[in-house]
Amino acid sequence: MPTLTLPNYTSCPESPSIEDMGVQIKMTVKSFKQSQPVVLHGAYKINQQLIRRAQGAPLTRIVLLVVRRDELGIWTNVVQDGSNIIPLYIPHGAKDDPKFREGGYFNIDLKQMCELLNQPGKYWVMASMDDYASDRIEFEILTER
Amino acid sequence: MLYYNCTKRFIFARLILIGAVLFVNNASCSTLSDETSGQKNPKNRIEQEIKQDTLNLPNYTRHKNSPTVENLGVALVLSTLIFKKGEPVIVHGAYNLNQQDIRKAEGLPLTRIMLIVVRRDEPDICSHMLQDASNINPMPIQSAQKDDPTYREGGYFNVNAWHMCEFLNKPGKYWIMASIGDYVSNRIEFEIVTK
């Protein structure tokens, strides 16, 4: 079975679906061993106004929150760092098409991004993008035996 | 002479009557203007209430706006959903926990409640514990006895989120939620607008 290369930003069978607009995340597994990657699948769908606000780079506007449930701890970061991305030119003036939607995907190893997850414990994760927030997913990291 | 006396009395009586009418008129005008100013400036009343609340923040007592928590968890309510820049962002909260949760919190649940504020129109976030635990001696909790599954211990908090999250001094769109252990509160969207 081919190993999933993470991070990647393409659709996969585990990707969540979004009906109209917003951001959503999914974990196929909710318990991970310490040595395993903590794989998070995500998707977003936005309109022209949000694409413009994101300067054509929506992944740089999706904030991930990971909170530890059994101890105090929180981590946050954007899915993609925008500092090295040249924003796309988006002409102003044209009237927005209210039906236009642009979507995308992300598949990441949360442990690569979030050092907090190096420790066994109970956590939850959610994503936030502009006026939208995803479901909150609880998961745990088990001690390696 | 009699006619002169009657005339004098008549004039005097009329003067008293006019005086009485003027007095009554004046009194009702001030009452009306009080009512009118209250109606025209409800903002004054709200500002006074906010001022009253701000003077006593943070506090950990039940407030008339405090949310209710039905079984276990934490809940939030905001004093309003649109705040002017510089105005206190008043958050009213409540929690209800079982013995296991109280034990995990070492008897100090407020030191384990995290307020999370996320900015919606720009990618930014702030989180802060409600109470700092560093100078508080944890209460000893005896864990030998079996937990009573029906036991509940609750409390309240009223805070100015502005004191915890400096970025709330910028106009923008935000949301806020609270988290403690396995529980999270409702998520509330609010805005800070320019004066």
Side-chain angles (χ1 to χ4, degrees):
Chain A
M1 185 181 275
T3 321
L4 190 63
T5 311
L6 300 171
N8 71 65
Y9 306 101
T10 53
S11 149
C12 70
E14 294 82 10
S15 295
S17 55
I18 297 176
E19 283 200 23
D20 185 26
M21 289 212 290
V23 61
Q24 200 51 269
I25 53 173
K26 192 172 167 186
M27 276 183 171
T28 49
V29 174
K30 306 281 173 66
S31 291
F32 302 88
K33 286 184 193 165
Q34 252 182 305
S35 55
Q36 281 176 325
V38 177
V39 182
L40 183 72
H41 304 283
Y44 66 87
K45 204 183 271 185
I46 52 179
N47 60 14
Q48 284 175 312
Q49 191 190 17
L50 285 180
I51 292 169
R52 202 164 39 246
R53 220 183 283 170
Q55 296 188 299
L59 290 169
T60 61
R61 306 283 287 207
I62 300 175
V63 174
L64 290 177
L65 282 92
V66 175
V67 171
R68 189 151 177 191
R69 293 186 276 143
D70 52 348
E71 292 290 336
L72 298 174
I74 182 170
W75 169 91
T76 67
N77 207 345
V78 285
V79 168
Q80 212 176 43
D81 179 11
S83 49
N84 288 334
I85 297 175
I86 298 169
L88 292 179
Y89 170 69
I90 300 186
H92 288 266
K95 204 174 170 185
D96 283 348
D97 175 2
K99 291 182 195 163
F100 179 88
R101 298 288 181 263
E102 183 175 303
Y105 302 91
F106 54 93
N107 307 292
I108 55 178
D109 174 7
L110 264 185
K111 224 157 68 167
Q112 282 178 1
M113 300 173 76
C114 172
E115 280 181 12
L116 197 66
L117 297 177
N118 289 333
Q119 300 193 9
K122 295 182 179 183
Y123 300 84
W124 60 254
V125 60
M126 76 188 281
S128 171
M129 178 182 196
D130 206 81
D131 286 339
Y132 307 101
S134 71
D135 292 337
R136 190 176 63 89
I137 301 178
E138 294 184 354
F139 64 98
E140 55 182 327
I141 294 178
L142 306 168
T143 318
E144 198 82 44
R145 286 190 182 175
Chain B
M1 190 71 141
L2 183 65
Y3 174 75
Y4 176 68
N5 282 341
C6 286
T7 309
K8 255 177 77 177
R9 275 191 216 141
F10 177 69
I11 291 167
F12 187 61
R14 279 194 79 175
L15 282 170
I16 291 173
L17 184 64
I18 291 166
V21 166
L22 282 172
F23 175 77
V24 166
N25 216 22
N26 199 35
S28 43
C29 276
S30 6
T31 312
L32 264 177
S33 69
D34 281 347
E35 284 175 0
T36 313
S37 70
Q39 284 164 10
K40 276 186 183 169
N41 298 312
K43 188 178 82 165
N44 288 339
R45 197 173 56 244
I46 293 168
E47 278 176 357
Q48 271 176 9
E49 280 177 7
I50 289 173
K51 224 177 188 177
Q52 191 77 32
D53 280 337
T54 320
L55 287 172
N56 300 323
L57 295 175
N59 71 66
Y60 306 100
T61 53
R62 189 173 180 178
H63 185 273
K64 63 181 193 275
N65 295 338
S66 293
T68 48
V69 179
E70 285 202 21
N71 188 13
L72 290 172
V74 57
L76 297 180
V77 153
L78 295 185
S79 54
T80 176
L81 297 180
I82 299 179
F83 299 87
K84 285 186 190 155
K85 184 184 164 182
E87 246 177 25
V89 177
I90 300 177
V91 181
H92 303 287
Y95 64 86
N96 215 18
L97 305 172
N98 61 21
Q99 281 178 316
Q100 193 186 18
D101 296 326
I102 302 284
R103 202 164 41 246
K104 264 187 228 171
E106 295 186 278
L108 303 165
L110 290 168
T111 61
R112 307 286 283 209
I113 298 177
M114 187 185 322
L115 277 186
I116 302 167
V117 181
V118 173
R119 188 156 174 187
R120 292 186 274 145
D121 49 351
E122 291 290 335
D124 208 350
I125 187 167
C126 162
S127 65
H128 204 282
M129 309 311 296
L130 270 186
Q131 230 177 31
D132 181 10
S134 50
N135 288 332
I136 300 174
N137 282 332
M139 291 181 342
I141 309 273
Q142 294 180 5
S143 54
Q145 288 177 340
K146 204 173 169 188
D147 284 344
D148 173 4
T150 59
Y151 179 89
R152 298 288 179 263
E153 187 174 309
Y156 301 94
F157 52 93
N158 307 293
V159 300
N160 179 359
W162 208 56
H163 287 154
M164 300 183 170
C165 294
E166 282 182 7
F167 76 174
L168 289 175
N169 61 13
K170 294 180 200 166
K173 295 182 179 185
Y174 301 84
W175 61 254
I176 185 169
M177 73 194 280
S179 166
I180 175 170
D182 286 336
Y183 311 109
V184 293
S185 72
N186 45 324
R187 186 173 66 88
I188 306 177
E189 294 181 356
F190 65 97
E191 251 185 275
I192 294 179
V193 298
T194 321
K195 280 184 187 175

